[in-house]
Amino acid sequence: WPDITCTTKKREDYLEWPEYFMAVAFLSAQRSKDPSSQVGACIVNQENKIVGIGYNGMPNGCDDDQLPWARSADDRLDTKYPYVCHAELNAIMNKNSADVKGCTMYVALFPCNECAKLIIQAGIKVVVYLSDKYHDTPEMTASRRLLNMAGVQFQQFKPKRTEITIDFNSINRPTALDSPTK
């Protein structure tokens, strides 16, 4: 290469892979119609390629205007819980590869016991979660037992930044490269 002095350097504030994948999980959560919990999941292979994305919602073909979204009711059938598909299930079902064996799943909430079973059966090897706010519930205790028994690693995501802003107008702003040459 010729000896060229370059004053332009690469950006230092770019998203690192874990931040990027967790942000994709959070962005996909914005598709959820659930009024109380919007959860997203992003499955990534060993080459840092996204192979599945999902969010919590009602099953395909089921009218989400006909099903309940309540968290509590006198009759459990009048709550969302018997009906809603979790983000982890949807991410696995939405996979765009032959399988997700050996992959990592990024998810907003620590997976429940039902999702842990799916994660194990799908062959996912690592779960990276942001929140474990339901840690002491029986479902989460069962989930940790199952994941540990199956050798699925899980780790809490520690963000380097508290928010990521997507500004659709930023692409139209002039940059130094857009200035006319003299």
Side-chain angles (χ1 to χ4, degrees):
W1 291 94
D3 185 20
I4 299 174
T5 305
C6 183
T7 57
T8 304
K9 298 196 183 320
K10 70 178 183 181
R11 286 179 50 226
E12 298 291 332
D13 63 340
Y14 61 90
L15 290 177
E16 294 178 13
W17 287 120
E19 292 175 304
Y20 173 67
F21 297 133
M22 189 60 79
V24 168
F26 268 73
L27 183 62
S28 65
Q30 295 302 302
R31 286 279 312 139
S32 175
K33 296 177 184 177
D34 190 321
S36 57
S37 300
Q38 298 82 46
V39 180
C42 177
I43 303 172
V44 181
N45 70 13
Q46 296 87 336
E47 298 173 325
N48 285 329
K49 292 180 181 171
I50 295 171
V51 296
I53 297 174
Y55 55 88
N56 59 312
M58 298 302 179
N60 293 337
C62 296
D63 186 346
D64 56 25
D65 289 324
Q66 303 284 317
L67 293 168
W69 288 103
R71 291 174 60 111
S72 61
D74 290 337
D75 184 345
R76 185 164 165 80
L77 289 175
D78 292 330
T79 71
K80 64 182 177 176
Y81 299 110
Y83 309 105
V84 76
C85 295
H86 287 182
E88 298 93 329
L89 176 145
N90 284 326
I92 291 167
M93 295 302 296
N94 293 338
K95 71 183 184 307
N96 61 14
S97 60
D99 60 49
V100 292
K101 285 181 176 36
C103 289
T104 298
M105 177 180 281
Y106 289 81
V107 63
L109 283 175
F110 189 85
C112 72
N113 61 309
E114 293 298 321
C115 289
K117 292 185 246 181
L118 293 166
I119 288 165
I120 292 163
Q121 294 298 81
I124 291 169
K125 289 298 174 197
V126 178
V127 174
V128 180
Y129 62 92
L130 182 69
S131 173
D132 192 12
K133 67 180 177 178
Y134 301 114
H135 181 87
D136 295 325
T137 64
E139 292 80 8
M140 298 310 154
T141 300
S143 178
R144 285 190 300 279
R145 284 182 189 167
L146 290 167
L147 294 172
N148 280 324
M149 288 176 81
V152 176
Q153 298 173 30
F154 49 91
Q155 60 198 50
Q156 190 163 27
F157 177 69
K158 303 289 186 198
K160 293 186 176 183
R161 50 182 102 194
T162 58
E163 64 181 31
I164 294 171
T165 303
I166 297 173
D167 179 358
F168 287 119
N169 290 318
S170 66
I171 198 74
N172 294 317
R173 290 196 191 99
T175 66
L177 297 175
D178 295 332
S179 62
T181 55
K182 294 184 180 182

